Amino acid sequence: MSDALDLIRAVLGTACVDDAQARTLLEDALQSETDPLIHCAIVFGISEALATQRAADWAGLAFFEKVPQGLVGEIAPMRLENLAGVRLFRMQVLDRAVDFTAPDFLGFLRLKRRLRERPLLRQSICVLPPAALRDYLTNLAAPDLIVAARQGLSQRWPYAVAQIELTGPARWSFALGLLLLLTMALSAPFIAETWLLPVALALLVAPAAIRLAALSTPQRPLPPPQRPPDEELPIYSILIPLHNEAAMVPQLFAAMWALDYPASRLDIKFVVEASSHATIAVVQARLGDPRVSLVTVPDAAPRTKPKALDYALPLCKGEHVVVYDAEDIPDPDQLWKAALRFRDEPDLACQQARLLIDNGHRGWLAALFAAEYAALFSVLLPALARWRLPIPLGGTSNHFRVATLRQIGGWDAFNVTEDADLGMRLARLL
């Protein structure tokens, strides 16, 4: 216990006055099942890099802010989805193999004990901040991540991907069919007026009938959920894909900090295209908190949102994942309610948050847009769910089980309606 308390005091420096305070912090971290290093960094506002550096100094180990350039790494073959859990890799430094590592709290304690028994070990161990280790491994695995983002779905379900190249006869058949349909539509008022009106009427009445049926379908009343204790909530990953949206970053950070969820169980990833230099700079300026990381997506075709999400999916540490767009401001209680629903319904694979337009009062066009969203997310989609029909997911605020999402191949990198496609695929495969 003395080593643990000494490490707490070393990490906090003058912010920790005595062993009693260190013991309280350690007990709080263990009770909430949180790595004490992360707990101290969040509670006292210390950057993750500084906390790791102080822990390395306490253990008597060398510390580097990032991996030195020009070294040759040796990364054992691994599944990409295990990438987020790697904490050690080996580099060749001159004539010596050196292990670069980002230990957790217990890891530092174990290293300290081993160094007492084998002092020469400190010559072959260097400590990195967890963010530096993640960035290095991500850059090293970038080619494989890009290939997986492009081909992950096609490897699991080859005929469900949007990049399938049609054969010549199929292309000509589609073009001729489209031309024939256009010709029939233009000539119908002159040669087929008697049957055109009923067909057009049916096309208009059928969607209205579905909406009226949805409006008359009673919603199942649910008891108000009770927030579980922090230690019962799982790690939740948040993916925020951005492309040339630097102005939205401050609002997004404010929305993330407002979430009513244990800070140590948040894994927030800003997924930014490499070509969005201004956005990357704004996000980088706000890094340091253990909850937040930046995933820079290499500039490679297809330059789509689903490809960026597929690139970041193997890096998620959470049991569940949600996607937020640049303009989203989620309700503070959204994550724990979603986690509670996943826990209580083991067969549930996805949850679509209800999207609300907040500027409906700014004119008739915005009001119509707000009304359409209200009808879709408050009436139609809940009715489709009660009728056990496929749900065309919206483009944001979708919550998934990470294991299920990986199992079905993630998003279709070549599909610009990737969430609607994902909703149909979930309905077919699960």
Side-chain angles (χ1 to χ4, degrees):
M1 179 63 75
S2 61
D3 274 354
L5 297 181
D6 286 345
L7 178 52
I8 292 287
R9 297 193 65 174
V11 169
L12 295 179
T14 57
C16 185
V17 295
D18 54 27
D19 282 351
Q21 184 184 9
R23 186 183 299 274
T24 300
L25 288 167
L26 181 59
E27 291 174 352
D28 290 344
L30 296 178
Q31 183 176 0
S32 62
E33 299 180 5
T34 302
D35 180 6
L37 282 182
I38 296 177
H39 179 75
C40 290
I42 292 175
V43 171
F44 287 85
I46 302 172
S47 71
E48 190 177 35
L50 179 58
T52 305
Q53 181 179 8
R54 289 176 174 176
D57 293 341
W58 171 84
L61 294 169
F63 174 83
F64 286 85
E65 291 185 355
K66 59 182 180 180
V67 178
Q69 296 182 356
L71 304 182
V72 180
E74 300 177 10
I75 305 298
M78 69 181 73
R79 295 174 63 89
L80 286 179
E81 55 264 33
N82 297 331
L83 194 61
V86 177
R87 284 189 171 270
L88 181 144
F89 61 90
R90 180 160 292 175
M91 305 284 287
Q92 193 67 28
V93 181
L94 299 177
D95 60 343
R96 180 181 304 165
V98 177
D99 291 330
F100 286 80
T101 181
D104 58 9
F105 187 82
L106 293 179
F108 275 112
L109 295 179
R110 286 192 291 265
L111 282 172
K112 183 78 168 183
R113 287 197 296 269
R114 291 195 64 186
L115 288 173
R116 291 193 184 110
E117 301 168 359
R118 300 174 59 188
L120 292 180
L121 274 179
R122 61 173 40 91
Q123 299 178 9
S124 59
I125 298 176
C126 291
V127 175
L128 294 169
L133 182 142
R134 287 193 303 266
D135 291 344
Y136 178 80
L137 292 178
T138 302
N139 291 334
L140 201 65
D144 293 332
L145 289 170
I146 282 291
V147 170
R150 289 169 170 167
Q151 302 178 6
L153 177 58
S154 61
Q155 291 172 353
R156 290 172 171 81
W157 201 6
Y159 299 104
V161 292
Q163 80 266 33
I164 292 179
E165 186 174 351
L166 298 177
T167 62
R171 293 171 184 267
W172 281 107
S173 298
F174 178 78
L176 291 175
L178 188 62
L179 181 61
L180 179 62
L181 183 62
L182 179 61
T183 303
M184 293 173 61
L186 292 175
S187 59
F190 304 99
I191 63 175
E193 184 177 353
T194 55
W195 58 264
L196 177 63
L197 184 60
V199 170
L201 186 62
L203 292 176
L204 294 174
V205 170
I210 293 174
R211 283 162 172 77
L212 288 174
L215 191 62
S216 61
T217 302
Q219 296 194 21
R220 182 181 63 179
L222 295 175
Q226 299 296 320
R227 188 190 189 285
D230 286 356
E231 58 269 20
E232 295 183 11
L233 292 171
I235 296 177
Y236 221 114
S237 292
I238 299 174
L239 297 180
I240 306 176
L242 300 174
H243 180 65
N244 293 332
E245 293 170 297
M248 304 303 295
V249 172
Q251 174 182 296
L252 285 167
F253 267 89
M256 296 303 102
W257 295 161
L259 290 173
D260 178 18
Y261 205 80
S264 59
R265 283 173 162 74
L266 285 176
D267 173 34
I268 305 170
K269 298 188 182 300
F270 285 82
V271 186
V272 187
E273 295 285 347
S275 58
S276 302
H277 303 293
T279 306
I280 291 175
V282 174
V283 174
Q284 283 179 332
R286 293 172 174 266
L287 295 180
D289 190 287
R291 290 169 283 185
V292 183
S293 59
L294 169 66
V295 178
T296 303
V297 183
D299 188 16
R303 296 169 180 83
T304 60
K305 172 184 171 182
K307 185 211 71 177
L309 294 174
D310 281 328
Y311 183 88
L313 183 60
L315 308 176
C316 291
K317 297 184 291 186
E319 180 180 340
H320 310 310
V321 62
V322 60
V323 179
Y324 291 136
D325 280 347
E327 66 276 7
D328 287 346
I329 304 177
D331 284 346
D333 58 1
Q334 185 179 127
L335 291 190
W336 70 258
K337 285 184 177 178
L340 194 62
R341 193 77 177 270
F342 277 128
R343 186 197 70 183
D344 295 341
E345 300 185 32
D347 295 333
L348 185 63
C350 172
Q351 299 180 64
Q352 165 75 74
R354 185 174 297 173
L355 304 183
L356 301 175
I357 305 301
D358 61 358
N359 65 340
H361 60 283
R362 296 186 177 178
W364 65 270
L365 185 59
L368 290 176
F369 190 45
E372 181 182 0
Y373 261 57
L376 176 64
F377 288 97
S378 299
V379 179
L380 183 57
L381 292 183
L384 293 179
R386 289 192 295 275
W387 298 337
R388 309 291 295 179
L389 294 175
I391 304 295
L393 298 175
T396 182
S397 301
N398 297 312
H399 299 252
F400 304 95
R401 299 183 192 272
V402 171
T404 301
L405 195 53
R406 289 172 175 167
Q407 176 187 347
I408 67 171
W411 294 268
D412 184 352
F414 293 83
N415 195 325
V416 295
T417 57
E418 73 282 349
D419 289 297
D421 165 75
L422 190 55
M424 298 302 106
R425 197 162 5 112
L426 283 168
R428 295 184 64 181
L429 294 180
L430 301 179

